[in-house]
Amino acid sequence: MQIDAIAHIRSEFPEKFGIPRQSGLATELLGKIVFEPQYRNSEALRGLEDFDYIWLIWEFSANRRDKKLQPGQQAPERGWQPTVRPPRLGGNKSMGVFATRSPFRPNPLGLSAVQLDHIETDTTDGPVIWVRGADLMDGTPIYDIKPYITYADSHGQARSGYVDSLEERHLDVSIPEKLASKLDRKQLSALRQVLELDPRPSYQNDPDRIYGLSFGKWNVHFNVNDKQLTVTDIL
């Protein structure tokens, strides 16, 4: 099967660290879907504006084996592993790869339900789709877009395996006014949501460590003590 990217997303995340663990967790995050030139036809989007959510089928492109390696860096092994260690389980318990949403899969495809904010049909990039709550890195290739249909796609009473037993981690976020003033209101609200979700790996809990999160053009420094996250700098 030949599969080509139809679009790429523009988001606030130039690297993987800090991206929400699932779509829809940070609803203030705005992303823009820009189509490849051959797919820039507004007729392909006719009727899509009547849906509140859409499915994105995309690639975990940051895990590509054909990426250019840095000096001294070894190429990852080919093949696949039947088990992975989900970060939500602290990175110390194995689960079958098909029982997780790990990016390390036989075929590195992702699936995200995102809120459709609005569609612009006449821009310098052709028609573009603005979405909320996307959990995609900037530049991620998108292979297909499908409408989210409630009666078929929503199963409110469904079990979610080991995820049902996990406590959602939310932090209290403190951003000094002097630093907060560097961002506009929408950016600040989105950043706060991202930080509240605790971007650290589950197995890290060092109150003296300063983390760095790339967010748009900014590098956000913060530390976490118990359930309190404090932003120490925005560069």
Side-chain angles (χ1 to χ4, degrees):
M1 179 179 70
Q2 178 72 29
I3 184 169
D4 298 308
I6 63 168
H8 291 76
I9 194 167
R10 310 307 306 180
S11 77
E12 299 285 7
F13 297 103
E15 56 189 31
K16 291 189 291 184
F17 181 70
I19 296 177
R21 291 178 291 275
Q22 301 291 341
S23 60
L25 297 180
T27 56
E28 294 298 317
L29 280 174
L30 270 175
K32 181 171 72 168
I33 297 172
V34 180
F35 288 91
E36 290 296 288
Q38 64 269 38
Y39 298 106
R40 293 178 181 177
N41 188 326
S42 58
E43 286 296 293
L45 304 182
R46 185 193 296 181
L48 190 63
E49 70 277 1
D50 295 328
F51 292 86
D52 285 335
Y53 288 84
I54 56 177
W55 288 106
L56 304 180
I57 300 173
W58 49 278
E59 180 189 1
F60 289 103
S61 52
N63 297 336
R64 283 180 181 164
R65 295 188 179 95
D66 60 355
K67 290 190 303 179
K68 184 177 180 181
L69 300 177
Q70 299 300 316
Q73 185 180 8
Q74 293 185 342
E77 295 182 5
R78 296 193 175 274
W80 68 286
Q81 298 295 327
T83 61
V84 295
R85 297 183 177 186
R88 291 291 309 279
L89 295 177
N92 54 17
K93 185 175 181 180
S94 294
M95 286 285 174
V97 64
F98 300 128
T100 76
R101 297 194 178 189
S102 167
F104 301 99
R105 322 186 65 77
N107 293 303
L109 293 177
L111 178 68
S112 296
V114 297
Q115 185 178 3
L116 196 162
D117 189 77
H118 67 283
I119 298 173
E120 291 182 288
T121 57
D122 187 16
T123 78
T124 55
D125 294 318
V128 299
I129 303 174
W130 288 88
V131 297
R132 289 185 175 273
D135 54 338
L136 281 69
M137 191 171 73
D138 185 59
T140 293
I142 295 173
Y143 292 111
D144 204 1
I145 297 169
K146 299 178 186 291
Y148 177 97
I149 301 172
T150 303
Y151 84 87
D153 297 338
S154 178
H155 304 278
Q157 303 304 314
R159 295 181 300 151
S160 299
Y162 63 88
V163 179
D164 284 337
S165 65
L166 298 177
E167 180 184 359
E168 284 294 330
R169 296 185 302 173
H170 287 276
L171 301 177
D172 295 322
V173 174
S174 173
I175 306 178
E177 179 58 34
K178 183 175 68 172
L179 300 178
S181 64
K182 294 184 177 183
L183 283 71
D184 64 38
R185 181 181 60 81
K186 291 183 178 179
Q187 275 190 316
L188 182 62
S189 180
L191 174 62
R192 186 178 293 277
Q193 277 194 337
V194 169
L195 295 176
E196 286 174 351
L197 293 170
D198 193 353
R200 301 173 302 162
S202 299
Y203 52 84
Q204 290 186 359
N205 188 22
D206 181 358
D208 296 321
R209 179 168 180 171
I210 300 295
Y211 295 85
L213 167 67
S214 295
F215 188 78
K217 67 178 182 179
W218 304 101
N219 191 278
V220 181
H221 293 181
F222 65 91
N223 67 355
V224 180
N225 191 343
D226 195 19
K227 293 187 176 182
Q228 178 66 52
L229 184 150
T230 302
V231 174
T232 59
D233 212 346
I234 299 180
L235 305 172

PDB file of all heavy atoms in Angstrom, residues 42-69:
ATOM      1  N   SER A  42     -10.564  23.186  -1.506  1.00  0.00           N
ATOM      2  CA  SER A  42     -11.585  23.413  -0.485  1.00  0.00           C
ATOM      3  C   SER A  42     -12.796  22.495  -0.661  1.00  0.00           C
ATOM      4  O   SER A  42     -13.536  22.253   0.294  1.00  0.00           O
ATOM      5  CB  SER A  42     -12.033  24.879  -0.492  1.00  0.00           C
ATOM      6  OG  SER A  42     -12.533  25.236  -1.765  1.00  0.00           O
ATOM      7  N   GLU A  43     -12.989  21.961  -1.861  1.00  0.00           N
ATOM      8  CA  GLU A  43     -14.105  21.039  -2.085  1.00  0.00           C
ATOM      9  C   GLU A  43     -13.950  19.777  -1.241  1.00  0.00           C
ATOM     10  O   GLU A  43     -14.948  19.140  -0.873  1.00  0.00           O
ATOM     11  CB  GLU A  43     -14.201  20.671  -3.569  1.00  0.00           C
ATOM     12  CG  GLU A  43     -14.756  21.775  -4.445  1.00  0.00           C
ATOM     13  CD  GLU A  43     -16.199  22.099  -4.074  1.00  0.00           C
ATOM     14  OE1 GLU A  43     -17.072  21.242  -4.278  1.00  0.00           O
ATOM     15  OE2 GLU A  43     -16.444  23.215  -3.577  1.00  0.00           O
ATOM     16  N   ALA A  44     -12.700  19.401  -0.941  1.00  0.00           N
ATOM     17  CA  ALA A  44     -12.460  18.196  -0.140  1.00  0.00           C
ATOM     18  C   ALA A  44     -12.925  18.378   1.301  1.00  0.00           C
ATOM     19  O   ALA A  44     -13.085  17.394   2.033  1.00  0.00           O
ATOM     20  CB  ALA A  44     -10.976  17.832  -0.177  1.00  0.00           C
ATOM     21  N   LEU A  45     -13.152  19.630   1.709  1.00  0.00           N
ATOM     22  CA  LEU A  45     -13.573  19.926   3.084  1.00  0.00           C
ATOM     23  C   LEU A  45     -15.060  20.282   3.160  1.00  0.00           C
ATOM     24  O   LEU A  45     -15.539  20.632   4.238  1.00  0.00           O
ATOM     25  CB  LEU A  45     -12.739  21.086   3.649  1.00  0.00           C
ATOM     26  CG  LEU A  45     -11.220  20.900   3.626  1.00  0.00           C
ATOM     27  CD1 LEU A  45     -10.539  22.114   4.258  1.00  0.00           C
ATOM     28  CD2 LEU A  45     -10.808  19.624   4.343  1.00  0.00           C
ATOM     29  N   ARG A  46     -15.767  20.187   2.060  1.00  0.00           N
ATOM     30  CA  ARG A  46     -17.177  20.568   2.054  1.00  0.00           C
ATOM     31  C   ARG A  46     -17.967  19.716   3.053  1.00  0.00           C
ATOM     32  O   ARG A  46     -17.923  18.493   3.025  1.00  0.00           O
ATOM     33  CB  ARG A  46     -17.786  20.392   0.668  1.00  0.00           C
ATOM     34  CG  ARG A  46     -19.230  20.902   0.590  1.00  0.00           C
ATOM     35  CD  ARG A  46     -19.921  20.448  -0.665  1.00  0.00           C
ATOM     36  NE  ARG A  46     -19.308  20.995  -1.870  1.00  0.00           N
ATOM     37  CZ  ARG A  46     -19.756  20.744  -3.099  1.00  0.00           C
ATOM     38  NH1 ARG A  46     -20.800  19.945  -3.278  1.00  0.00           N
ATOM     39  NH2 ARG A  46     -19.153  21.276  -4.143  1.00  0.00           N
ATOM     40  N   GLY A  47     -18.661  20.368   3.970  1.00  0.00           N
ATOM     41  CA  GLY A  47     -19.464  19.680   4.976  1.00  0.00           C
ATOM     42  C   GLY A  47     -18.731  19.416   6.279  1.00  0.00           C
ATOM     43  O   GLY A  47     -19.366  19.124   7.301  1.00  0.00           O
ATOM     44  N   LEU A  48     -17.407  19.530   6.274  1.00  0.00           N
ATOM     45  CA  LEU A  48     -16.651  19.223   7.487  1.00  0.00           C
ATOM     46  C   LEU A  48     -16.923  20.232   8.597  1.00  0.00           C
ATOM     47  O   LEU A  48     -16.855  19.902   9.782  1.00  0.00           O
ATOM     48  CB  LEU A  48     -15.147  19.190   7.178  1.00  0.00           C
ATOM     49  CG  LEU A  48     -14.234  18.657   8.284  1.00  0.00           C
ATOM     50  CD1 LEU A  48     -14.551  17.193   8.589  1.00  0.00           C
ATOM     51  CD2 LEU A  48     -12.760  18.812   7.902  1.00  0.00           C
ATOM     52  N   GLU A  49     -17.290  21.457   8.228  1.00  0.00           N
ATOM     53  CA  GLU A  49     -17.532  22.500   9.235  1.00  0.00           C
ATOM     54  C   GLU A  49     -18.723  22.168  10.132  1.00  0.00           C
ATOM     55  O   GLU A  49     -18.893  22.786  11.193  1.00  0.00           O
ATOM     56  CB  GLU A  49     -17.756  23.855   8.547  1.00  0.00           C
ATOM     57  CG  GLU A  49     -19.057  23.996   7.776  1.00  0.00           C
ATOM     58  CD  GLU A  49     -18.999  23.407   6.365  1.00  0.00           C
ATOM     59  OE1 GLU A  49     -17.934  22.875   5.996  1.00  0.00           O
ATOM     60  OE2 GLU A  49     -20.014  23.488   5.638  1.00  0.00           O
ATOM     61  N   ASP A  50     -19.533  21.204   9.763  1.00  0.00           N
ATOM     62  CA  ASP A  50     -20.704  20.836  10.564  1.00  0.00           C
ATOM     63  C   ASP A  50     -20.378  19.818  11.652  1.00  0.00           C
ATOM     64  O   ASP A  50     -21.271  19.430  12.418  1.00  0.00           O
ATOM     65  CB  ASP A  50     -21.804  20.266   9.660  1.00  0.00           C
ATOM     66  CG  ASP A  50     -22.348  21.305   8.692  1.00  0.00           C
ATOM     67  OD1 ASP A  50     -22.380  22.492   9.051  1.00  0.00           O
ATOM     68  OD2 ASP A  50     -22.728  20.922   7.566  1.00  0.00           O
ATOM     69  N   PHE A  51     -19.125  19.381  11.731  1.00  0.00           N
ATOM     70  CA  PHE A  51     -18.704  18.442  12.763  1.00  0.00           C
ATOM     71  C   PHE A  51     -17.913  19.170  13.847  1.00  0.00           C
ATOM     72  O   PHE A  51     -17.164  20.107  13.560  1.00  0.00           O
ATOM     73  CB  PHE A  51     -17.828  17.333  12.153  1.00  0.00           C
ATOM     74  CG  PHE A  51     -18.572  16.406  11.241  1.00  0.00           C
ATOM     75  CD1 PHE A  51     -18.744  16.730   9.891  1.00  0.00           C
ATOM     76  CD2 PHE A  51     -19.113  15.225  11.713  1.00  0.00           C
ATOM     77  CE1 PHE A  51     -19.432  15.881   9.036  1.00  0.00           C
ATOM     78  CE2 PHE A  51     -19.799  14.360  10.868  1.00  0.00           C
ATOM     79  CZ  PHE A  51     -19.963  14.694   9.535  1.00  0.00           C
ATOM     80  N   ASP A  52     -18.075  18.738  15.089  1.00  0.00           N
ATOM     81  CA  ASP A  52     -17.352  19.355  16.198  1.00  0.00           C
ATOM     82  C   ASP A  52     -15.968  18.745  16.402  1.00  0.00           C
ATOM     83  O   ASP A  52     -15.064  19.417  16.901  1.00  0.00           O
ATOM     84  CB  ASP A  52     -18.142  19.211  17.503  1.00  0.00           C
ATOM     85  CG  ASP A  52     -19.329  20.161  17.558  1.00  0.00           C
ATOM     86  OD1 ASP A  52     -19.281  21.209  16.883  1.00  0.00           O
ATOM     87  OD2 ASP A  52     -20.302  19.863  18.267  1.00  0.00           O
ATOM     88  N   TYR A  53     -15.818  17.466  16.056  1.00  0.00           N
ATOM     89  CA  TYR A  53     -14.539  16.779  16.247  1.00  0.00           C
ATOM     90  C   TYR A  53     -14.167  16.024  14.974  1.00  0.00           C
ATOM     91  O   TYR A  53     -15.048  15.633  14.192  1.00  0.00           O
ATOM     92  CB  TYR A  53     -14.609  15.782  17.414  1.00  0.00           C
ATOM     93  CG  TYR A  53     -14.660  16.455  18.771  1.00  0.00           C
ATOM     94  CD1 TYR A  53     -15.877  16.909  19.295  1.00  0.00           C
ATOM     95  CD2 TYR A  53     -13.497  16.661  19.523  1.00  0.00           C
ATOM     96  CE1 TYR A  53     -15.930  17.540  20.522  1.00  0.00           C
ATOM     97  CE2 TYR A  53     -13.557  17.284  20.753  1.00  0.00           C
ATOM     98  CZ  TYR A  53     -14.759  17.724  21.249  1.00  0.00           C
ATOM     99  OH  TYR A  53     -14.804  18.355  22.469  1.00  0.00           O
ATOM    100  N   ILE A  54     -12.860  15.836  14.797  1.00  0.00           N
ATOM    101  CA  ILE A  54     -12.377  15.048  13.673  1.00  0.00           C
ATOM    102  C   ILE A  54     -11.293  14.089  14.164  1.00  0.00           C
ATOM    103  O   ILE A  54     -10.648  14.320  15.196  1.00  0.00           O
ATOM    104  CB  ILE A  54     -11.798  15.937  12.545  1.00  0.00           C
ATOM    105  CG1 ILE A  54     -10.682  16.849  13.080  1.00  0.00           C
ATOM    106  CG2 ILE A  54     -12.901  16.744  11.886  1.00  0.00           C
ATOM    107  CD1 ILE A  54     -10.018  17.694  12.006  1.00  0.00           C
ATOM    108  N   TRP A  55     -11.135  13.006  13.430  1.00  0.00           N
ATOM    109  CA  TRP A  55     -10.053  12.058  13.685  1.00  0.00           C
ATOM    110  C   TRP A  55      -8.869  12.409  12.782  1.00  0.00           C
ATOM    111  O   TRP A  55      -9.048  12.665  11.585  1.00  0.00           O
ATOM    112  CB  TRP A  55     -10.491  10.628  13.362  1.00  0.00           C
ATOM    113  CG  TRP A  55     -11.467  10.023  14.311  1.00  0.00           C
ATOM    114  CD1 TRP A  55     -12.803   9.801  14.104  1.00  0.00           C
ATOM    115  CD2 TRP A  55     -11.185   9.510  15.632  1.00  0.00           C
ATOM    116  NE1 TRP A  55     -13.374   9.196  15.204  1.00  0.00           N
ATOM    117  CE2 TRP A  55     -12.400   9.001  16.155  1.00  0.00           C
ATOM    118  CE3 TRP A  55     -10.028   9.433  16.406  1.00  0.00           C
ATOM    119  CZ2 TRP A  55     -12.484   8.431  17.419  1.00  0.00           C
ATOM    120  CZ3 TRP A  55     -10.103   8.866  17.670  1.00  0.00           C
ATOM    121  CH2 TRP A  55     -11.325   8.371  18.166  1.00  0.00           C
ATOM    122  N   LEU A  56      -7.689  12.385  13.357  1.00  0.00           N
ATOM    123  CA  LEU A  56      -6.456  12.545  12.588  1.00  0.00           C
ATOM    124  C   LEU A  56      -5.688  11.227  12.619  1.00  0.00           C
ATOM    125  O   LEU A  56      -5.484  10.648  13.692  1.00  0.00           O
ATOM    126  CB  LEU A  56      -5.574  13.657  13.169  1.00  0.00           C
ATOM    127  CG  LEU A  56      -6.207  15.045  13.314  1.00  0.00           C
ATOM    128  CD1 LEU A  56      -5.181  16.008  13.908  1.00  0.00           C
ATOM    129  CD2 LEU A  56      -6.723  15.554  11.981  1.00  0.00           C
ATOM    130  N   ILE A  57      -5.281  10.754  11.468  1.00  0.00           N
ATOM    131  CA  ILE A  57      -4.408   9.589  11.362  1.00  0.00           C
ATOM    132  C   ILE A  57      -3.045  10.112  10.934  1.00  0.00           C
ATOM    133  O   ILE A  57      -2.919  10.753   9.884  1.00  0.00           O
ATOM    134  CB  ILE A  57      -4.960   8.573  10.356  1.00  0.00           C
ATOM    135  CG1 ILE A  57      -6.341   8.093  10.807  1.00  0.00           C
ATOM    136  CG2 ILE A  57      -4.007   7.379  10.211  1.00  0.00           C
ATOM    137  CD1 ILE A  57      -7.057   7.219   9.792  1.00  0.00           C
ATOM    138  N   TRP A  58      -2.036   9.856  11.744  1.00  0.00           N
ATOM    139  CA  TRP A  58      -0.754  10.526  11.548  1.00  0.00           C
ATOM    140  C   TRP A  58       0.402   9.586  11.869  1.00  0.00           C
ATOM    141  O   TRP A  58       0.199   8.438  12.252  1.00  0.00           O
ATOM    142  CB  TRP A  58      -0.688  11.780  12.412  1.00  0.00           C
ATOM    143  CG  TRP A  58      -1.086  11.605  13.859  1.00  0.00           C
ATOM    144  CD1 TRP A  58      -2.358  11.590  14.367  1.00  0.00           C
ATOM    145  CD2 TRP A  58      -0.218  11.394  14.976  1.00  0.00           C
ATOM    146  NE1 TRP A  58      -2.333  11.398  15.717  1.00  0.00           N
ATOM    147  CE2 TRP A  58      -1.039  11.277  16.140  1.00  0.00           C
ATOM    148  CE3 TRP A  58       1.164  11.316  15.124  1.00  0.00           C
ATOM    149  CZ2 TRP A  58      -0.510  11.078  17.408  1.00  0.00           C
ATOM    150  CZ3 TRP A  58       1.695  11.121  16.402  1.00  0.00           C
ATOM    151  CH2 TRP A  58       0.850  11.002  17.517  1.00  0.00           C
ATOM    152  N   GLU A  59       1.616  10.096  11.716  1.00  0.00           N
ATOM    153  CA  GLU A  59       2.801   9.280  11.907  1.00  0.00           C
ATOM    154  C   GLU A  59       3.620   9.774  13.099  1.00  0.00           C
ATOM    155  O   GLU A  59       3.796  10.979  13.284  1.00  0.00           O
ATOM    156  CB  GLU A  59       3.685   9.324  10.660  1.00  0.00           C
ATOM    157  CG  GLU A  59       4.959   8.493  10.793  1.00  0.00           C
ATOM    158  CD  GLU A  59       5.923   8.705   9.646  1.00  0.00           C
ATOM    159  OE1 GLU A  59       5.617   9.521   8.747  1.00  0.00           O
ATOM    160  OE2 GLU A  59       6.986   8.070   9.642  1.00  0.00           O
ATOM    161  N   PHE A  60       4.111   8.824  13.890  1.00  0.00           N
ATOM    162  CA  PHE A  60       5.095   9.159  14.931  1.00  0.00           C
ATOM    163  C   PHE A  60       6.430   9.418  14.238  1.00  0.00           C
ATOM    164  O   PHE A  60       7.370   8.627  14.312  1.00  0.00           O
ATOM    165  CB  PHE A  60       5.219   8.009  15.934  1.00  0.00           C
ATOM    166  CG  PHE A  60       4.028   7.840  16.834  1.00  0.00           C
ATOM    167  CD1 PHE A  60       3.102   6.833  16.604  1.00  0.00           C
ATOM    168  CD2 PHE A  60       3.823   8.690  17.911  1.00  0.00           C
ATOM    169  CE1 PHE A  60       2.003   6.666  17.431  1.00  0.00           C
ATOM    170  CE2 PHE A  60       2.723   8.530  18.749  1.00  0.00           C
ATOM    171  CZ  PHE A  60       1.812   7.521  18.510  1.00  0.00           C
ATOM    172  N   SER A  61       6.518  10.540  13.561  1.00  0.00           N
ATOM    173  CA  SER A  61       7.649  10.805  12.681  1.00  0.00           C
ATOM    174  C   SER A  61       8.961  11.001  13.432  1.00  0.00           C
ATOM    175  O   SER A  61      10.044  10.797  12.871  1.00  0.00           O
ATOM    176  CB  SER A  61       7.364  12.044  11.822  1.00  0.00           C
ATOM    177  OG  SER A  61       6.960  13.140  12.622  1.00  0.00           O
ATOM    178  N   ALA A  62       8.897  11.382  14.713  1.00  0.00           N
ATOM    179  CA  ALA A  62      10.124  11.567  15.483  1.00  0.00           C
ATOM    180  C   ALA A  62      10.805  10.239  15.788  1.00  0.00           C
ATOM    181  O   ALA A  62      11.950  10.223  16.247  1.00  0.00           O
ATOM    182  CB  ALA A  62       9.825  12.308  16.787  1.00  0.00           C
ATOM    183  N   ASN A  63      10.118   9.126  15.528  1.00  0.00           N
ATOM    184  CA  ASN A  63      10.694   7.805  15.783  1.00  0.00           C
ATOM    185  C   ASN A  63      11.224   7.132  14.523  1.00  0.00           C
ATOM    186  O   ASN A  63      11.579   5.961  14.554  1.00  0.00           O
ATOM    187  CB  ASN A  63       9.643   6.877  16.407  1.00  0.00           C
ATOM    188  CG  ASN A  63       9.186   7.371  17.753  1.00  0.00           C
ATOM    189  OD1 ASN A  63       9.899   8.093  18.424  1.00  0.00           O
ATOM    190  ND2 ASN A  63       7.987   6.996  18.151  1.00  0.00           N
ATOM    191  N   ARG A  64      11.271   7.852  13.419  1.00  0.00           N
ATOM    192  CA  ARG A  64      11.718   7.249  12.167  1.00  0.00           C
ATOM    193  C   ARG A  64      13.130   6.702  12.285  1.00  0.00           C
ATOM    194  O   ARG A  64      14.016   7.342  12.843  1.00  0.00           O
ATOM    195  CB  ARG A  64      11.689   8.285  11.034  1.00  0.00           C
ATOM    196  CG  ARG A  64      10.308   8.567  10.497  1.00  0.00           C
ATOM    197  CD  ARG A  64      10.386   9.589   9.390  1.00  0.00           C
ATOM    198  NE  ARG A  64       9.060   9.910   8.861  1.00  0.00           N
ATOM    199  CZ  ARG A  64       8.828  10.975   8.122  1.00  0.00           C
ATOM    200  NH1 ARG A  64       9.799  11.824   7.847  1.00  0.00           N
ATOM    201  NH2 ARG A  64       7.609  11.206   7.665  1.00  0.00           N
ATOM    202  N   ARG A  65      13.328   5.511  11.719  1.00  0.00           N
ATOM    203  CA  ARG A  65      14.657   4.902  11.724  1.00  0.00           C
ATOM    204  C   ARG A  65      15.583   5.543  10.697  1.00  0.00           C
ATOM    205  O   ARG A  65      16.787   5.373  10.758  1.00  0.00           O
ATOM    206  CB  ARG A  65      14.539   3.397  11.439  1.00  0.00           C
ATOM    207  CG  ARG A  65      13.798   2.620  12.516  1.00  0.00           C
ATOM    208  CD  ARG A  65      13.903   1.131  12.243  1.00  0.00           C
ATOM    209  NE  ARG A  65      13.216   0.361  13.272  1.00  0.00           N
ATOM    210  CZ  ARG A  65      11.970  -0.074  13.165  1.00  0.00           C
ATOM    211  NH1 ARG A  65      11.290   0.191  12.079  1.00  0.00           N
ATOM    212  NH2 ARG A  65      11.412  -0.783  14.121  1.00  0.00           N
ATOM    213  N   ASP A  66      14.983   6.259   9.733  1.00  0.00           N
ATOM    214  CA  ASP A  66      15.819   6.841   8.680  1.00  0.00           C
ATOM    215  C   ASP A  66      16.234   8.275   8.995  1.00  0.00           C
ATOM    216  O   ASP A  66      16.771   8.971   8.151  1.00  0.00           O
ATOM    217  CB  ASP A  66      15.088   6.800   7.332  1.00  0.00           C
ATOM    218  CG  ASP A  66      13.765   7.583   7.349  1.00  0.00           C
ATOM    219  OD1 ASP A  66      13.381   8.075   8.420  1.00  0.00           O
ATOM    220  OD2 ASP A  66      13.132   7.685   6.285  1.00  0.00           O
ATOM    221  N   LYS A  67      15.994   8.727  10.240  1.00  0.00           N
ATOM    222  CA  LYS A  67      16.419  10.070  10.614  1.00  0.00           C
ATOM    223  C   LYS A  67      17.939  10.172  10.551  1.00  0.00           C
ATOM    224  O   LYS A  67      18.653   9.211  10.802  1.00  0.00           O
ATOM    225  CB  LYS A  67      15.948  10.421  12.032  1.00  0.00           C
ATOM    226  CG  LYS A  67      14.472  10.628  12.161  1.00  0.00           C
ATOM    227  CD  LYS A  67      14.141  11.192  13.525  1.00  0.00           C
ATOM    228  CE  LYS A  67      14.631  10.308  14.648  1.00  0.00           C
ATOM    229  NZ  LYS A  67      14.333  10.881  15.966  1.00  0.00           N
ATOM    230  N   LYS A  68      18.451  11.355  10.277  1.00  0.00           N
ATOM    231  CA  LYS A  68      19.888  11.575  10.261  1.00  0.00           C
ATOM    232  C   LYS A  68      20.437  11.427  11.669  1.00  0.00           C
ATOM    233  O   LYS A  68      19.941  12.031  12.613  1.00  0.00           O
ATOM    234  CB  LYS A  68      20.195  12.973   9.711  1.00  0.00           C
ATOM    235  CG  LYS A  68      21.685  13.247   9.577  1.00  0.00           C
ATOM    236  CD  LYS A  68      21.922  14.618   8.965  1.00  0.00           C
ATOM    237  CE  LYS A  68      23.413  14.892   8.827  1.00  0.00           C
ATOM    238  NZ  LYS A  68      23.672  16.234   8.244  1.00  0.00           N
ATOM    239  N   LEU A  69      21.456  10.604  11.806  1.00  0.00           N
ATOM    240  CA  LEU A  69      22.034  10.346  13.123  1.00  0.00           C
ATOM    241  C   LEU A  69      23.096  11.378  13.455  1.00  0.00           C
ATOM    242  O   LEU A  69      23.798  11.897  12.582  1.00  0.00           O
ATOM    243  CB  LEU A  69      22.649   8.944  13.159  1.00  0.00           C
ATOM    244  CG  LEU A  69      21.692   7.783  12.887  1.00  0.00           C
ATOM    245  CD1 LEU A  69      22.467   6.471  12.891  1.00  0.00           C
ATOM    246  CD2 LEU A  69      20.589   7.746  13.915  1.00  0.00           C
TER     247      LEU A  69
END
